[in-house]
Each structure stands twice: as structure tokens, then as C-alpha cells.
Amino acid sequence: MQTAATASPADQTRALGLSTIAFTACFAVWTIFSIIGVAIKAELGLNDTQFGLLVATPILTGSISRLFLGVWTEKYGGRFVFSSQMILTALATWALTLADSYIMYLIAALGIGLAGGSFIIGVAYVSRWYDAGHQGTALGIFGAGNVGAAVTKFVAPFVMVAYGWHGVAYVWAAGLAVIGVLFFFLAKDDPELVERRKTGAKPPSLAQQFAPLKNLQVWRFSLYYFFVFGAFVALALWMPHYLIDVYGIDVRFAGMAAASFSLAASLFRAYGGHLSDKFGARTVMYWTFGFSMLFLFMLSYPPTDYIIQAKDGPIAFSTQMGLWPFIVTLFALGFFMSLGKAAVFKHIPVYYPGHVGAVGGLVGMIGGLGGFVLPIAFGALLDLTGIYTSCFALLFGLVALALSWMHLSIRSMERAVHGEALDRLPQLPEMQDIHHPERTRMPRVLEDWRPEDKQFWAEKGRAVARRNLWISIPALLLAFSVWMVWSVVVARLPAIGFDFTPGQLFWLAALPGLSGATLRIFYSFMVPIFGGRLWTTLSTASLLLPALGIGYAVQSPETPYLIFLVLALLCGFGGGNFASSMANIGYFFPKAEKGNALALNAGLGNLGVSVMQFLVPIVITAGVFGALGGQPQTMSEGGQLWMQNAGFVWVPFILAATIAAWLGMNDIADARASFADQAVIFGRTHNWLMCILYSGTFGSFIGYSAGFPLLTKLAFPEINALNYVFLGPLVGALSRAATGWISDRFGGGRVTFWTFTAMIVATFGVIFFLGVGSFIGFFACFMALFFLTGVGNASTFQMIPVIMGREVPRLMPHLGIEDRKRQIAMESGAITAFTSAIAAYGAFFIPKAYGTSIAMTGSAVGALWGFLIFYAICLVITWAVYTRSGGLLHEIERGRAPDASAQPAE
């Protein structure tokens, strides 16, 4: 029998050539409204939203019809279905000239949309003539028929100028009808259809063809195609209108300029198929999404006027992308979108060889719907915002979402299948990087990680773990610096002309704590899903947003308060990092060193608050960055400040830490776990009890750090608080880093008990000295509080793995030794991260409690009494549940019983 592998080269060339010509003609008709729509808009007096609906309507039909046309092609063959579809589309195009109202135009446009369904017919037809090793190239050549959009933009404007838009419709309808008839007589039935007819086999049922559509993977491919194809169609339709309005050029020049984009997004599709065969579709998709994000960011930046207050007076300038840079950037975007279109459809015949029509139909339909939805969205955004570049901003968000989902899925695949399972995977080009017959290795992933094995730890483990720790520490230090930077900035805003009330200032100091604590809840579960290396890299890089934003916002007193609120919330990125950082480092160290390692990571990371409160008051007094940093602000009492340096100073360090994390850190294969696996902690009573205790220690540390500068300035206005406030976070951070060994030696429960006892005494001292107006006593008691929070931070975290070492064997006795160890490590890491998330709300509630207490009573004493009562509750919980005779940790910390996490029973 004849198969794809045995079909003659002549037949293959015939099928590919005829299909490509037919698809080019169909695509030229499908995008006809990109040119004639301009004339119809003027003729009917349409607004932008109505125009967007008109040009998008054919895309709707073309998208939805793909699902059914693909199935019919599988059943009846491409020769018959392709010919019929072209003739019907030609009739609808001719009928367009008979329309006399907007509704009739829309109805005719629905018929013209059948042209868009031609793509899936060709994919199903052409793929049957080629083997898997050549399908990518063949489908890429066929897909280059997208150049039909460029044909319309090059030729149609001249036809329309000579004969009107009716002339374009007549010529395009006649040409498509002729090609449809020729295709029926010149093309051959595909090998699979011929063989099925010979044997009398029945075609696959609809249920069989649609079966793969339940796979989430198919819908992920659809999202990719929604961007690479849907956005291409949308831009092809929108660009003539955009160019005419923005750059004031005539319709012929606009058509030719837009055609350059369509040309790039079409012709290079064949090259994309070749690259997919050679390097793998996954690699090509990374290229596509990465470069598309870059180009769309450039295109989405609107024309902007700037005024810089220079030494010799204002310097005014503006930024705007000129016509030719715009065309070149758009051409480059089209090039990478064309590669992506080929790469998406490289996947389908490889993963679903028996369901190309149904799967390709769905993917094509979703992609086509992008061409329908996006022009409408472009018009609506333009009407809503008045900003022309809003269409590119929308696409930037879309490609960011697609890239994130793709990478997350690939990461999940790599983590889920290793060892013998990976060796059994099909040797697809896109998986060659991770597939080695008889040998499995994933770069930067530690598949063999046994920190409790003393020999392994001494020979290999300790060096790797310490490298990851010492890269994690500066990244976390920067996160804390950015998180708490508002605690210093808000204290200086009134001095440089910002007319904010004390309540507004306290909100700015409190909001980073609120967003940081909330983000920690999500960050708590990210490391086992993404991997510690990638997540540390991404979370560190995210700090650039608030750092740069603050640097620009503080330079003008005219900056709206809303902008400051948004930037304060973005500073929460820094707060979220702690949860993921602690969960990640906890996986690297054995139990005997875990407490000290976590104390070093957290303690030196917490030091970022003190570093910030020491460094920022210094750098804002000088033009550290010269002209690049902007002009200074004049203070109300005289003098100058470069307040923007409070944000800019962190940028070079964030960049360095991001690079170091990507190049130097590792992932642990056994540390993977889904959210569902980790969600078991929500049913653990001790998870919630530790949330309370850690809120008493870390919540106090971070809350006091956020509110201490402003509280001191309000309570003792005669004192220059910024000269001293950095000492509190410094003491708290160093005490945490230096006292982790105490909890490892004497037991976290006992240390926590005495810590809360001392915190009650110190809080009472703050209340007393605040009442008598003694700054020295007030400051000394607060230093004691900071010291005690650091000790308690280390001791509570030391308690968690010990508690779960007792609880997991009791709650899950069916687990074997190794599974139990993994379960204990996973739950301990998740609880450590989650408790840090809940406790971080202290950064919000403590400053807000100060503000509320001052507003209601004129003093912060009411808030401090509330804190004292909370510490008393924590003290009772620690004694009643953990340290009393018979408590969970009593025997372990008295040395009379082994730790179940170290010696799990069978």
C-alpha cells in the first residue's frame, strides 16, 4: 500500500505545491477587509469598535470552521473539502458587493471567513504525504501561504484606487473560484484515504477524533497559536488603520508598510519548520516568545514628553518611534512569529499522528479566534484609553502568559520524568537536551541528594549546599532592603514637598507588609513547582520594578498618591522572597545543620532592613549617579536630597544577584512536589500553631522594622531618628544569625518559651519609658525587643522539622523510611514557608496599629498593650503544647527520646 513514507517525491511536491497556492489565495481573501475595510468604514461612518468588529468577523468564521473542516478532511479527504471550501468562499466574497447596510456586511463577512478554515484542511492533507522527520519543513512551507495577507496589502490598494473596493472583491472572488476548480482536478487524494477506500475501512468516528481534546496539552498549544497566529492576523488587519492614523500616510503606503509585517510573518514560516526539525520545536518557541516580548515592549511604549530640571534650566525632550524604526521592529516581530507558527504545528503530527485534523483544528480555531478577538480588543482599548500603542501592550501581556505557561509545563515534565522513565520517552527533537539513551542527566538538577548520608555530605553535599546558601543570602538581603525601603522614604517625603497626611504615610509604610505577606502565601509553594534556581532568579529580578519605580516617582511632588500606593504594593515582591528562599535552603542541609543554615539565611537576609536603613539616609544626600540619577529635590527647611537614590541604589546589586542565582544555584530533583502534595499542611494543627508563634517573633521583627522610624520621629520629634533606627533591625538580624546554634543545642521549644517571657518584659519597658518621655529607656527596650525577636525567629524555625519528625510517623505510619524522610522534609519546608507568610502580615498590622492607636488616643501605647497581650498568648501556647511535661517537644529537648525525623520507624 502507499503510505507517507512510500509516496513518490513527485506526488509529495504536487500535494504541497497545490496546497500552498490554494492557502495563499484563501489567506488573501480572508484578510481582504484590512484594505477594503478602510473604504467601507468611511462609507458607513463606523467608529473604531464597529470597524474592529467588521474586520474581525471573517476571522470568527474562519476560526470556528477549522474545527469541523479538519474533521471532514480526515473523513472525506483534502481534495474534495479544499475545493468545496474555496468555491463557497468565492461566492461569499462576490456577495459582499451586494450588501447595503452594516448588518449585511457582517453577514457577508461571515461567509468570507470560510477562507480561514483552509489552513487546517491543508495541514491535515499535507501531513499525510510526509513522514515525521520532514513534516515540520513541509508544514512550514505550506504555512508560508500566510503571505496571502501581504499579497492583499501590496496589490489591493492599487486595485481599489483604480476600481474602488468593489473591484477588489470581484477580482479576489474570481481568482479564488478558479483556483478551487483547478485544485479539484489537479490534486490527488492523500495516501491514507486511498488505502482506506481500498480496504473498506471505516473513517474514524467523531468521538475518536475528538478524544485528544481533553488533554490540557492541546489547550496549551492553542494558547501559543492564539499569539503567534491570532496576533499575526489581528495586526495584519489593524496595521493599515494604525499607520494611517498614527503616521498620517496614505492607504497605498500604509498597505505596503503593513505588508512588510505580513511578509515576514509568512515567508519565514518555512524556515521555522526547518529549524523545528533541526533544533526542536521547544527551542524555537523559546526564541519566538523571548524576542516577541522584547519587540512588543518597544512597540508598546507610547510617545512621551519629558522635562528634566537641569542646572541651566528645564531640558525638554520627547520619545517617539519613527515610521521606519516602527516598520523595522514590526518586521522583526513578524519574523519570530512566523518561526513560532511553524513550531506549534510541528508538535501536533508528532504528538497526535492519528488526530491531526481534530487537534490541529482546535489549535487552529483558538489561534484564529485570536484574530477575531484581538482586533475588537484593539478598537475597544483605543476608544477607552486613546493610546494607540495599547494594542501592543495587550500583546505583551499575552506573550508573557504564554511563555510562563510553556516554561512551567516543560519544567514540570523534566521534574516528573527522570531515571528509567525518561529513557523511555520518544526521542523527539525538542526533548534531545534531556534525553540520553542509557543515561539520564538534567543540567543543574541534583538527582542524587542525600544530605543525611555523612560520607556524601562530606565529599560533595556540604560544598554544593554552602554555595547555594551564600548565593541565596545576598539575594534575600536585597529583597528585605527593597521590601522595607518605604520605612525610610515615608519619613522624608514631607520634607521634599509631598503633602501627605500621617495616615497616608502610615499606609505607605504598611502596604509593603500587606502585599509581601500575601505574596509569601503563594511563594511558599513555588520552589517545589518551579525549582529553587529559577524561582530565586525570577523573584530577585522582580525587585527591579519597585526599585526603579521609586527612583522616578519621588522626583516630583506632583506624582499622584495612587502611584505611591502601587509602588508600595510592588515592594511586597521583596517580602514574598523570604518564604521561597527559606523553603529552598531547607532542602539542602541535613537536620543537624538545618537550624543554623536557616538562621544564617534568614538572619543575614533580615540584615537587609538594617543595611537599607543605614545606607539610604547616606545615598540620598549625594548625587551618587550623576546626571543619570536626576536632579535633587529642595527641602522645605533648606538643603537638597537625592531621594531617588533610595530606589536606584539597589539596581546594580539586584542585577548582580540575579545573574549569580541563575549561574550558580541548583535544583534538587527529589524536592519536587505539586501544590496538592504540599496542601496537606493545611490539615496539620501544628502548622497553624506555629503561624501564631512565628507571628509573635518574626511578625514583631518586621513590623517593628517598618514602623520604628516613623514612631520614633512622632514620639520624639527632637531626635533625628534616622541616625539610630537602623540599629534595631541590625540587632534583630544578627541575633537570629548568631543564635541558631543555641536552639539546635538546647531545643527550639525551650528557647522560644523564654524568648516570649523576655519580650513581655521588654514591651512593658517600652510602654513605661514612652509614658515618661525617656528616649534612652524607650530605645534600649526596643533594642532588647529586636534582639529577642531574632532569637525567637531562629528557635521557632528550629521547632518545625522536629515537630513534623514526630507528627508524620504518627499520622502516616504506612510510609517507608525513605518516603517518610521525604514527607517530613516536604511538610517542614512548606510549613516553614507558610508560617513566614502569615507572620509577615506583622509588617502591615504593627504600623497600622500604631497609626490607629495614635488617631484614637493620641499615643501608640494602646497598640503596645495589644502586642504584650499577644506575646502572653504565645507564651501559653508554647508551654501548653510543646515544653511542659508531656508536651510534644519535652522529651526530645530533655534528651530522653530520639527524634523521629532522624530515626523513622518501620
Side-chain angles (χ1 to χ4, degrees):
M1 69 177 179
Q2 186 188 32
T3 65
T6 60
S8 69
D11 285 343
Q12 290 176 331
T13 302
R14 174 195 292 263
L16 179 58
L18 288 173
S19 298
T20 303
I21 293 171
F23 181 47
T24 302
C26 286
F27 217 88
V29 172
W30 199 30
T31 57
I32 192 172
F33 279 105
S34 64
I35 298 300
I36 68 174
V38 176
I40 294 174
K41 179 188 179 187
E43 184 179 300
L44 298 180
L46 306 179
N47 61 32
D48 286 311
T49 301
Q50 290 173 317
F51 174 73
L53 179 61
L54 176 64
V55 300
T57 296
I59 313 305
L60 175 64
T61 312
S63 304
I64 296 176
S65 65
R66 288 183 175 194
L67 189 59
F68 305 102
L69 290 173
V71 173
W72 288 341
T73 303
E74 294 280 345
K75 188 172 184 178
Y76 301 111
R79 174 172 164 265
F80 172 75
V81 176
F82 219 154
S83 300
S84 302
Q85 173 264 333
M86 283 188 277
I87 294 171
L88 289 173
T89 303
L91 291 172
T93 306
W94 171 76
L96 181 66
T97 62
L98 305 177
D100 59 1
S101 67
Y102 181 62
I103 297 299
M104 293 302 295
Y105 279 113
L106 290 177
I107 293 173
L110 287 171
I112 292 174
L114 285 173
S118 60
F119 175 71
I120 192 55
I121 302 173
V123 168
Y125 179 65
V126 170
S127 64
R128 289 184 171 183
W129 290 93
Y130 291 87
D131 61 90
H134 298 86
Q135 284 173 338
T137 302
L139 292 177
I141 294 172
F142 165 74
N146 290 161
V147 76
V151 171
T152 291
K153 291 181 179 63
F154 270 123
V155 181
F158 297 96
V159 176
M160 188 168 71
V161 170
Y163 303 105
W165 72 262
H166 287 79
V168 177
Y170 287 135
V171 173
W172 264 236
L176 187 62
V178 170
I179 293 174
V181 173
L182 291 176
F183 190 91
F184 182 79
F185 287 106
L186 297 179
K188 293 184 177 182
D189 289 325
D190 64 79
E192 185 175 324
L193 181 64
V194 171
E195 180 61 25
R196 196 167 68 220
R197 287 174 177 171
K198 284 182 180 179
T199 60
K202 292 182 179 180
S205 66
L206 288 178
Q208 291 172 325
Q209 293 189 63
F210 286 128
L213 302 191
K214 64 184 180 182
N215 296 340
L216 185 61
Q217 180 189 53
V218 174
W219 297 91
R220 175 161 52 88
F221 293 162
S222 299
L223 176 63
Y224 302 166
Y225 208 60
F226 187 88
F227 170 72
V228 295
F229 178 75
F232 154 67
V233 173
L235 289 175
L237 295 170
W238 191 255
M239 278 306 99
H241 170 60
Y242 181 96
L243 288 163
I244 291 170
D245 282 7
V246 174
Y247 293 102
I249 57 181
D250 64 29
V251 67
R252 286 172 293 185
F253 191 13
M256 295 179 67
S260 67
F261 166 73
S262 300
L263 205 62
S266 305
L267 290 181
F268 293 106
R269 186 165 183 165
Y271 185 53
H274 169 70
L275 292 176
S276 297
D277 282 337
K278 184 175 182 180
F279 297 106
R282 182 184 70 178
T283 300
V284 176
M285 290 307 301
Y286 270 116
W287 296 344
T288 295
F289 289 147
F291 280 99
S292 294
M293 285 188 69
L294 173 63
F295 296 134
L296 286 169
F297 178 80
M298 295 166 59
L299 291 168
S300 62
Y301 200 88
T304 307
D305 295 323
Y306 295 92
I307 298 178
I308 297 177
Q309 301 299 325
K311 181 184 66 169
D312 299 323
I315 299 175
F317 66 96
S318 62
T319 60
Q320 180 177 4
M321 183 174 284
L323 176 60
W324 286 108
F326 178 86
I327 293 173
V328 171
T329 305
L330 201 64
F331 182 90
L333 175 65
F335 170 77
F336 283 99
M337 292 175 79
S338 70
L339 301 188
K341 285 186 283 189
V344 171
F345 270 85
K346 165 65 181 177
H347 289 79
I348 294 172
V350 174
Y351 281 100
Y352 305 100
H355 303 84
V356 174
V359 175
L362 176 71
V363 173
M365 181 186 75
I366 299 299
L369 285 175
F372 169 73
V373 173
L374 290 173
I376 298 175
F378 293 167
L381 278 174
L382 182 56
D383 285 340
L384 181 66
T385 67
I387 301 174
Y388 278 100
T389 58
S390 57
C391 60
F392 298 112
L394 175 63
L395 295 182
F396 178 84
L398 177 63
V399 73
L401 174 63
L403 177 60
S404 300
W405 191 5
M406 181 180 76
H407 186 78
L408 181 62
S409 299
I410 291 171
R411 183 68 179 170
S412 177
M413 177 188 69
E414 291 177 343
R415 286 174 157 264
V417 286
H418 57 89
E420 294 182 2
L422 181 58
D423 295 330
R424 292 195 296 270
L425 287 174
Q427 296 187 45
L428 300 177
E430 65 181 286
M431 297 181 68
Q432 286 179 355
D433 288 344
I434 64 168
H435 184 91
H436 302 270
E438 308 302 329
R439 180 174 62 87
T440 299
R441 175 180 171 272
M442 288 181 282
R444 301 189 184 279
V445 177
L446 304 172
E447 296 181 15
D448 179 26
W449 189 249
R450 295 170 280 115
E452 301 296 344
D453 184 327
K454 293 183 179 179
Q455 182 177 353
F456 173 87
W457 181 250
E459 294 177 356
K460 177 184 177 181
R462 179 179 284 109
V464 174
R466 287 183 175 177
R467 184 181 73 244
N468 280 268
L469 173 62
W470 290 109
I471 292 175
S472 175
I473 286 172
L476 187 56
L477 183 147
L478 289 168
F480 270 91
S481 297
V482 173
W483 189 25
M484 290 290 105
V485 72
W486 279 113
S487 66
V488 170
V489 173
V490 295
R492 304 298 292 175
L493 288 179
I496 57 174
F498 287 90
D499 188 22
F500 296 151
T501 67
Q504 288 177 313
L505 293 175
F506 269 115
W507 266 110
L508 292 179
L511 279 180
L514 179 64
S515 61
T518 304
L519 285 174
R520 282 190 180 195
I521 296 175
F522 300 99
Y523 280 36
S524 299
F525 305 101
M526 291 298 104
V527 168
I529 296 173
F530 281 87
R533 170 175 169 258
L534 173 63
W535 189 252
T536 302
T537 301
L538 293 176
S539 59
T540 303
S542 71
L543 302 176
L544 290 170
L545 291 175
L548 291 170
I550 290 170
Y552 289 113
V554 298
Q555 295 188 46
S556 171
E558 302 301 319
T559 303
Y561 182 67
L562 177 62
I563 298 297
F564 283 94
L565 290 176
V566 172
L567 289 171
L569 288 170
L570 288 177
C571 283
F573 284 150
N577 286 10
F578 181 80
S580 54
S581 179
M582 294 297 283
N584 181 47
I585 293 303
Y587 283 112
F588 280 94
F589 286 85
K591 176 186 171 295
E593 299 185 31
K594 196 182 297 287
N596 191 49
L598 292 176
L600 283 172
N601 189 56
L604 297 181
N606 292 168
L607 197 60
V609 180
S610 183
V611 169
M612 179 277 301
Q613 292 183 344
F614 174 78
L615 182 62
V616 168
I618 295 176
V619 298
I620 63 176
T621 61
V624 178
F625 297 98
L628 291 176
Q631 296 299 308
Q633 298 85 50
T634 300
M635 293 189 293
S636 54
E637 66 269 19
Q640 292 181 326
L641 286 181
W642 284 261
M643 186 59 70
Q644 61 267 33
N645 291 348
F648 289 156
V649 71
W650 309 110
V651 172
F653 300 107
I654 292 170
L655 291 172
T658 300
I659 295 170
W662 181 251
L663 296 179
M665 297 189 75
N666 297 93
D667 296 324
I668 299 175
D670 284 338
R672 68 185 187 280
S674 67
F675 175 78
D677 294 333
Q678 300 175 76
V680 68
I681 68 169
F682 297 126
R684 306 298 196 218
T685 301
H686 294 285
N687 173 50
W688 302 105
L689 292 177
M690 292 308 301
C691 285
I692 296 173
L693 300 187
Y694 196 60
S695 294
T697 57
F698 178 78
S700 297
F701 167 79
I702 202 64
Y704 290 152
S705 298
F708 187 45
L710 196 54
L711 175 64
T712 305
K713 186 174 182 62
L714 292 176
F716 300 95
E718 72 281 2
I719 303 295
N720 188 351
L722 293 184
N723 290 338
Y724 305 100
V725 293
F726 76 92
L727 290 174
L730 174 65
V731 169
L734 292 180
S735 70
R736 179 169 191 166
T739 60
W741 65 272
I742 297 177
S743 297
D744 283 338
R745 181 173 180 181
F746 297 104
R750 284 194 287 173
V751 174
T752 300
F753 176 84
W754 289 111
T755 295
F756 280 125
T757 302
M759 288 177 70
I760 292 172
V761 175
T763 305
F764 184 79
V766 171
I767 294 172
F768 175 78
F769 288 112
L770 193 60
V772 299
S774 170
F775 174 74
I776 294 177
F778 166 85
F779 189 80
C781 288
F782 246 118
M783 290 304 102
L785 271 176
F786 273 112
F787 175 84
L788 292 168
T789 60
V791 177
N793 288 339
S795 64
T796 48
F797 265 11
Q798 192 275 346
M799 292 168 64
I800 292 172
V802 180
I803 291 170
M804 299 319 297
R806 298 297 300 270
E807 286 293 283
V808 169
R810 182 181 68 83
L811 297 170
M812 308 177 76
H814 58 282
L815 296 179
I817 294 177
E818 294 303 319
D819 288 340
R820 189 175 299 170
K821 287 181 179 179
R822 280 191 290 271
Q823 186 69 21
I824 291 171
M826 185 273 288
E827 291 196 32
S828 297
I831 292 175
T832 296
F834 184 73
T835 54
S836 74
I838 300 302
Y841 281 107
F844 170 76
F845 285 112
I846 287 181
K848 280 303 296 173
Y850 287 153
T852 302
S853 179
I854 291 172
M856 294 177 64
T857 67
S859 169
V861 170
L864 290 166
W865 275 111
F867 303 153
L868 188 150
I869 293 171
F870 181 71
Y871 298 149
I873 294 172
C874 292
L875 180 68
V876 171
I877 291 174
T878 305
W879 177 81
V881 180
Y882 299 114
T883 62
R884 68 176 176 84
S885 179
L888 186 66
L889 302 182
H890 179 75
E891 293 184 353
I892 291 177
E893 295 186 350
R894 294 290 180 179
R896 293 200 294 267
D899 180 1
S901 66
Q903 299 292 335
E906 284 292 351

